[in-house]
Amino acid sequence: MKLNLKNLAALPDNVQRPAYQANSTTQGIVHIGVGGFHRAHQAFYTDRLINSGQGLDWAICGAGLRPEDRKARDDLAGQDYLYTLVELADTADTEVRVVAAITGMLLAEDDPQALIAKLADPAIRIVSLTITEGAYCIDDSSGEFMAHLPAIQHDIAYPEAPRTVFGFLCAALAQRRADGTPPFTVMSCDNLPHNGAVARKALLAFAALGNDPALHDWIAEHVSFPNAMVDRITPMTSSAHRLQLHDQHGIDDAWPVVCEPFVQWVLEDKFSNGRPAWETVGVQFTDDVTPYESMKIKLLNGSHLALTYLGTLAGYEFVHETMNDPLIVEYIQQYMDLDVTGQLAPVPGIDLTDYKATLIERFSNQKIADQLQRVCSDGSSKFPKFTVPTIDRLITDGKPLDRAALVVAAWALYLQQPANVRPYTIVDPRADFCRDLVADESQLTKRLLSVDEIFGKTIAQSAEFAQAFERQLRNLRERGVAGTLQALLKSGR
């Protein structure tokens, strides 16, 4: 049965359906970067809220800035912007629900002025973002906005036809200021430390490059950028997921989303123009998201990165396969316990021992079939955020380095794509650059570890880390993943 509004009532009884009509809502949020995570997280919470009878004026208008967003828009538009969310767990029955919180989607390349007008609409009070770490255009080595990028230069030259998120936000905010309309809140939902602060820094830097210095000052004074910690493992939707939904529930959905049951959103309560009552459906509001953010990024994202390249080199395809390997599980447990936990401040309401046990359980979820390739992607952008801060602190504190060095060594070998490993594709905007770093064996350590925008200065200046890195890279080549982990775990380094 094709998923659409007409067929909603005929769906099986075990499929949860919206308790509201989409035409009874109005759009209050524009979300830029509609993908699986947004639909499993922010849209999921918003749908929950509207289902409760609240927040009817907070429906979501999606926005796509990339050519590849067209298929997403067409798939959603072809089914009245409904989609199926499937929660998969090893220990519970599959939960299936239809989500109706997204009620439209605009493509920038079709009509940039239409998107600007939507963003400038007084009804829109929040613009949320899942645009990936690298799209904020912040140089990880210097912390500065990369104004030289061609897309940024284009938007400065042609502000009426922007291509980047910053061009669209500035054009819309300039229009709102001219119209006397209050500004929207910019709400980043990307996996970045202090994601709101990063979004603010990038947008203000972009605004300063334009011909309207007063706009920069108006944004700085009036626009809010709350920091957020977001969490839900959401693998790429595969053909197998679509077929499973069709075969088990009779639903023909062009773009369902699958995810784990666990979901968490900790959000600073700093909004410039109102917000949904998300706290009534499980969102935790706080004055300072920092301890939650540090916990999640260093433990979950850092551990994900630690297992993903090892799993790929060991020949696995999925995260749960990797977690069926007891050596890798013990290594991840030691990494979390011995290298990361001591660096974390107390997290209100969270028992870190329980949290780490939950992570092992979540990574081991057999039903979700999270692809290693997804977690491996964009390593050059992920390392500076998820792993390098942990390594820097270990170096500064004089702690053992081999466990953390193994994460980097596994990435280096992964970039070389060894012939004896199951073929895989390196997904990274800087894939060619990264491969070049490891192409010359005689210069590999120096060339790789001295890349400031990835590893910073502390690692580059640490002879002890370089030695640990070379030791683990040599072990991986000579002993393989299993032999390397056996030796490392036995040594207790």
Side-chain angles (χ1 to χ4, degrees), residues 118 204 265 307 387 488:
K118 185 64 180 180
L204 287 176
W265 193 3
L307 70 86
T387 303
L488 180 60

Side-chain angles (χ1 to χ4, degrees), residues 113 116-117 120 169-181 215 218:
Q113 285 301 315
I116 292 170
L169 293 178
C170 273
L173 287 167
Q175 186 64 54
R176 293 177 82 106
R177 182 188 57 158
D179 295 343
T181 302
L215 178 62
W218 186 81

Side-chain angles (χ1 to χ4, degrees), residues 131-360:
I131 56 175
T132 76
E133 297 89 347
Y136 290 85
C137 304
I138 298 292
D139 186 319
D140 288 310
S141 60
S142 66
E144 296 304 314
F145 184 70
M146 295 188 285
H148 64 279
L149 294 175
I152 299 298
Q153 288 298 308
H154 171 275
D155 283 9
I156 297 301
Y158 304 100
E160 74 287 349
R163 296 175 181 169
T164 73
V165 63
F166 309 110
F168 278 102
L169 293 178
C170 273
L173 287 167
Q175 186 64 54
R176 293 177 82 106
R177 182 188 57 158
D179 295 343
T181 302
F184 46 67
T185 295
V186 176
M187 184 178 73
S188 171
C189 297
D190 281 298
N191 269 321
L192 287 167
H194 305 298
N195 50 14
V198 171
R200 184 179 193 274
K201 181 175 185 176
L203 185 59
L204 287 176
F206 178 89
L209 299 171
N211 297 320
D212 185 359
L215 178 62
H216 169 282
D217 297 342
W218 186 81
I219 293 171
E221 181 178 357
H222 296 289
V223 178
S224 294
F225 299 81
N227 292 307
M229 184 271 265
V230 296
D231 190 4
R232 190 170 219 180
I233 295 173
T234 310
M236 296 178 289
T237 301
S238 67
S239 296
H241 291 136
R242 291 187 61 241
L243 290 172
Q244 186 177 35
L245 181 63
H246 178 276
D247 293 346
Q248 295 182 3
H249 300 280
I251 299 175
D252 179 11
D253 186 338
W255 196 31
V257 59
V258 296
C259 58
E260 63 174 338
F262 181 93
V263 61
Q264 188 176 22
W265 193 3
V266 183
L267 183 58
E268 290 178 351
D269 200 355
K270 300 172 182 176
F271 289 75
S272 50
N273 195 9
R275 64 164 178 81
W278 281 315
E279 69 275 15
T280 65
V281 289
V283 178
Q284 181 178 350
F285 283 93
T286 181
D287 293 331
D288 182 14
V289 79
T290 303
Y292 301 92
E293 178 183 84
S294 182
M295 172 193 73
K296 190 259 180 172
I297 285 174
K298 286 195 169 189
L299 284 175
L300 187 150
N301 297 116
S303 298
H304 237 171
L305 215 56
L307 70 86
T308 189
Y309 300 113
L310 288 172
T312 300
L313 294 173
Y316 302 125
E317 184 179 359
F318 298 102
V319 173
H320 70 266
E321 292 179 317
T322 306
M323 295 300 287
N324 287 337
D325 187 326
L327 286 172
I328 292 179
V329 173
E330 186 178 354
Y331 164 71
I332 293 300
Q333 191 72 63
Q334 285 196 12
Y335 177 78
M336 291 194 294
D337 290 344
L338 302 179
D339 297 330
V340 178
T341 302
Q343 300 184 11
L344 300 176
V347 185
I350 301 290
D351 182 301
L352 288 179
T353 300
D354 291 344
Y355 182 79
K356 288 182 288 186
T358 300
L359 290 183
I360 296 294

Side-chain angles (χ1 to χ4, degrees), residues 119-136:
L119 291 165
D121 185 334
I124 300 302
R125 286 156 287 161
I126 294 174
V127 177
S128 53
L129 312 173
T130 47
I131 56 175
T132 76
E133 297 89 347
Y136 290 85

Side-chain angles (χ1 to χ4, degrees), residues 374-449:
R374 181 191 76 85
V375 189
C376 284
S377 67
D378 300 342
S380 63
S381 292
K382 289 177 177 176
F383 266 94
K385 287 107 178 156
F386 302 160
T387 303
V388 168
T390 295
I391 296 174
D392 286 350
R393 177 75 177 272
L394 292 172
I395 292 170
T396 300
D397 293 347
K399 300 289 188 180
L401 298 172
D402 280 77
R403 273 181 304 273
L406 179 57
V407 187
V408 183
W411 186 52
L413 189 57
Y414 161 89
L415 292 172
Q416 292 184 327
Q417 294 182 284
N420 63 340
V421 175
R422 182 182 59 83
Y424 54 85
T425 301
I426 296 173
V427 181
D428 193 306
R430 295 189 284 181
D432 291 339
F433 169 75
C434 293
R435 276 191 288 257
D436 286 345
L437 293 175
V438 300
D440 183 349
E441 289 291 341
S442 65
Q443 298 292 318
L444 190 155
T445 300
K446 181 179 179 181
R447 281 172 58 82
L448 184 68
L449 300 186

